[in-house]
Amino acid sequence: MKKLLLSIGAGLLIIGAILVGMKFWFKPDLVYKRNAKKAAKDLASASKVIEDEETSKIYTFEEASKIYKVDQSLLLVNQEHTIDADFPSDIVEYKDTGVLMNSCITEHYSDLSAAVSEKIGDKLYVMSSYRSYEDQQRVYEEEGAEIAALPGTSEHQTGLALDVYVSEFAGAGFIESDAGMFVNEHCYDYGFIIRYPYGGESVTGFTYEPWHIRYVGLPHSKIIEESGCLFDNYADLFEIGKYYEYYGYEIARMPEDRIEIPKDAQDVLLSEDGLGYVFVTIKTAEK
Ligand SMILES: [Zn+2]
């Protein structure tokens, strides 16, 4: 009898485990939601309050941007948060190649492609980088809504996203190559993320795109990697106005009219998130 009860118990446990597994199998985006919750908790435990008038100063975004470096690295662009046709993307040419990208990513893309050459022995190419609103309109009309993003909803318009490939492995096939595996595993170390990961479709609006890398900068890419959350939910992890310590960085998300910066901060970067707030990223230690 005891044996029978035990095996019934074990059976129920196994069925339970299968049901839980199935829940995540059918709805992989639940994993991202669960991860985001945990990440917010982890960040909260790494937080630090700076509210001493002696040690910090309050600025508006306009004031702060005259003193500190500003880039567009943390701008959220998706179907809900669109950019206008005349959005002033900060575009430069990459190493006389004719490839246009956002000025904040050139150095980091150069490092990533050098790592692919060095570690994998393959050459990384850019299939598509900056696309103007008009270019996107044309792509949308040619390829249709199934494949192309609606103008104003594409990260390519910011120059922060790159579609990369190596010889013989492009598009979905990119992940079949060693270089594709390397980029998908290690782009986070160079400030990039896989913007549309597997299973995130119900949030991102895109199925897995192993070739589409998006620059967000360090340490944000590492936090996204370690927490397993989606960039669409990233800003929500932060409590407004609070500083978080993270591996040699201090980061905070501040309202545009009240940006608090420690007076002794040296290496400060300001990035608008497109949601009405500004990320402050301060490098506190050499890596
Ligand atoms: Zn893309």
Side-chain angles (χ1 to χ4, degrees):
M1 188 63 189
K2 210 174 168 191
K3 242 186 181 175
L4 182 67
L5 280 177
L6 268 180
S7 51
I8 289 174
L12 285 175
L13 269 180
I14 291 167
I15 290 168
I18 291 171
L19 283 176
V20 170
M22 275 166 69
K23 184 171 149 186
F24 287 111
W25 173 262
F26 287 122
K27 287 198 163 178
D29 55 294
L30 276 179
V31 175
Y32 292 105
K33 277 188 195 143
R34 190 189 56 185
N35 289 349
K37 249 189 212 165
K38 188 178 173 298
K41 243 191 224 162
D42 288 350
L43 272 176
S45 69
S47 70
K48 163 178 172 176
V49 184
I50 302 176
E51 262 177 27
D52 189 348
E53 280 172 29
E54 298 278 299
T55 58
S56 67
K57 206 167 171 220
I58 313 275
Y59 303 90
T60 63
F61 178 56
E62 210 189 324
E63 288 164 355
S65 59
K66 284 180 190 139
I67 305 168
Y68 299 110
K69 220 166 77 183
V70 180
D71 76 4
Q72 299 176 324
S73 57
L74 286 162
L75 191 77
L76 177 64
V77 180
N78 60 22
Q79 277 139 328
E80 247 174 86
H81 302 99
T82 59
I83 46 175
D84 296 334
D86 58 357
F87 178 79
S89 300
D90 183 12
I91 301 301
V92 295
E93 185 181 354
Y94 178 70
K95 294 183 175 176
D96 300 322
T97 55
V99 175
L100 300 178
M101 53 180 82
N102 197 291
S103 71
C104 68
I105 85 174
T106 52
E107 186 195 329
H108 307 282
Y109 178 67
S110 172
D111 290 346
L112 175 64
S113 74
V116 171
S117 301
E118 196 185 301
K119 303 211 159 91
I120 308 297
D122 210 343
K123 187 163 172 21
L124 198 60
Y125 295 99
V126 177
M127 175 87 78
S128 182
S129 55
Y130 168 67
R131 283 201 290 264
S132 69
Y133 189 92
E134 292 72 26
D135 291 340
Q136 189 65 35
Q137 181 85 44
R138 192 177 39 75
V139 171
Y140 184 74
E141 279 161 15
E142 282 171 13
E143 294 183 4
E146 288 279 288
I147 297 168
L150 198 66
T153 70
S154 171
E155 287 190 325
H156 284 286
Q157 198 190 323
T158 64
L160 295 163
L162 303 172
D163 295 338
V164 294
Y165 70 103
V166 289
S167 174
E168 290 178 42
F169 296 92
F174 180 53
I175 194 67
E176 307 291 328
S177 68
D178 290 344
M181 277 298 284
F182 179 85
V183 167
N184 275 253
E185 276 177 7
H186 298 287
C187 67
Y188 301 90
D189 299 334
Y190 300 87
F192 291 89
I193 58 169
I194 298 300
R195 177 66 178 86
Y196 307 121
Y198 174 77
E201 192 182 353
S202 73
V203 178
T204 64
F206 291 87
T207 50
Y208 179 37
E209 291 195 354
W211 65 86
H212 178 111
I213 57 172
R214 153 73 200 255
Y215 184 74
V216 294
L218 284 167
H220 306 282
S221 54
K222 292 299 287 179
I223 299 175
I224 290 168
E225 178 192 23
E226 281 170 21
S227 66
C229 80
L230 296 165
F231 185 58
D232 303 82
N233 307 123
Y234 181 59
D236 297 337
L237 304 188
F238 295 83
E239 199 179 305
I240 305 297
K242 206 174 198 181
Y243 267 94
Y244 296 83
E245 283 183 318
Y246 190 89
Y247 294 145
Y249 291 88
E250 285 176 5
I251 40 182
R253 190 174 175 231
M254 300 274 178
E256 302 224 325
D257 58 352
R258 195 183 186 286
I259 299 176
E260 190 175 350
I261 299 176
K263 275 183 186 158
D264 60 354
Q266 302 284 324
D267 199 342
V268 178
L269 178 65
L270 307 171
S271 319
E272 286 179 283
D273 63 8
L275 305 165
Y277 295 91
V278 177
F279 271 99
V280 184
T281 306
I282 303 172
K283 206 171 173 187
T284 53
E286 281 305 311
K287 232 172 80 177

